[in-house]
Amino acid sequence: MEHTLSIIKPDAFAKKHVGEILSRFESNGLTIVAAKVKHLTKDEAEEFYAVHKDRAFFNDLVSFMISGPVMVQVLAGEDAIKKNREVMGDTDPQKAASGTIRADFAENIDANAVHGSDGPETAKTEIDYFFNPDEIISI
Ligand code: IDP
Ligand code: MG
């Protein structure tokens, strides 16, 4: 059983795709073991995406992530990190395989509907960033 952090980004939240996106996780064998709706502050978005701080798109990414509420959730399942990345699709929705969340709900690489941890270490750091252990159910 593995855990991963997922965020439904401001574009998908504003377009009321939360229910459909959560349904994609569930129908692909992932279980939502923690969740909260949150409007990130600039400091929070900058800290969360600190790994990208030297990239040209960093300021646009932070501005986008604080442009409206998001839903943050912990997903659990076998191979949850990789499975979630598959269900999400490529970072660029134009390249995302059909049937993936980004192909179906994202408009462009800036507003691409979802975030998902990319490995075991980032998953742990990102989950700890948003949730206390007692907010995550055991399954
Ligand atoms: P990921 O979300 O698929 O893991 P990352 O490379 O970790 O992709 O990038 C984090 C986020 O930064 C992306 O989801 C996207 O919103 C944004 N991003 C990445 N590359 C670009 C780019 O070339 N232009 C604009 N935004 C980008
Ligand atoms: Mg990433």
Side-chain angles (χ1 to χ4, degrees):
M1 184 64 64
E2 191 173 65
H3 285 174
T4 190
L5 187 89
S6 161
I7 305 177
I8 300 176
K9 293 185 177 181
D11 57 325
F13 190 95
K15 287 191 244 166
K16 300 196 182 289
H17 290 314
V18 169
E20 288 169 282
I21 291 173
L22 294 178
S23 176
R24 299 286 178 100
F25 299 143
E26 293 188 317
S27 60
N28 283 281
L30 296 165
T31 300
I32 299 150
V33 293
K36 65 176 80 167
V37 171
K38 205 169 156 56
H39 196 146
L40 299 179
T41 64
K42 187 162 180 276
D43 283 352
E44 286 173 328
E46 285 178 349
E47 192 179 338
F48 181 76
Y49 276 119
V51 65
H52 295 305
K53 68 179 189 313
D54 296 327
R55 306 286 291 273
F57 59 79
F58 182 69
N59 288 337
D60 288 342
L61 174 61
V62 169
S63 298
F64 166 64
M65 288 302 289
I66 65 173
S67 66
V70 298
M71 187 162 170
V72 189
Q73 51 276 325
V74 180
L75 306 175
E78 197 176 320
D79 240 351
I81 297 168
K82 184 161 159 273
K83 168 68 71 182
N84 181 42
R85 297 289 311 193
E86 286 168 6
V87 173
M88 288 165 61
D90 194 277
T91 306
D92 181 353
Q94 306 299 327
K95 297 182 189 152
S98 64
T100 60
I101 292 170
R102 281 168 164 168
D104 291 345
F105 301 114
E107 263 162 36
N108 52 58
I109 197 165
D110 299 285
N112 61 3
V114 280
H115 167 85
S117 307
D118 61 8
E121 280 167 31
T122 48
K124 188 183 178 331
T125 309
E126 292 178 359
I127 290 167
D128 289 348
Y129 188 68
F130 283 114
F131 294 97
N132 295 319
D134 68 359
E135 294 175 307
I136 303 169
I137 60 157
S138 300
I139 56 165

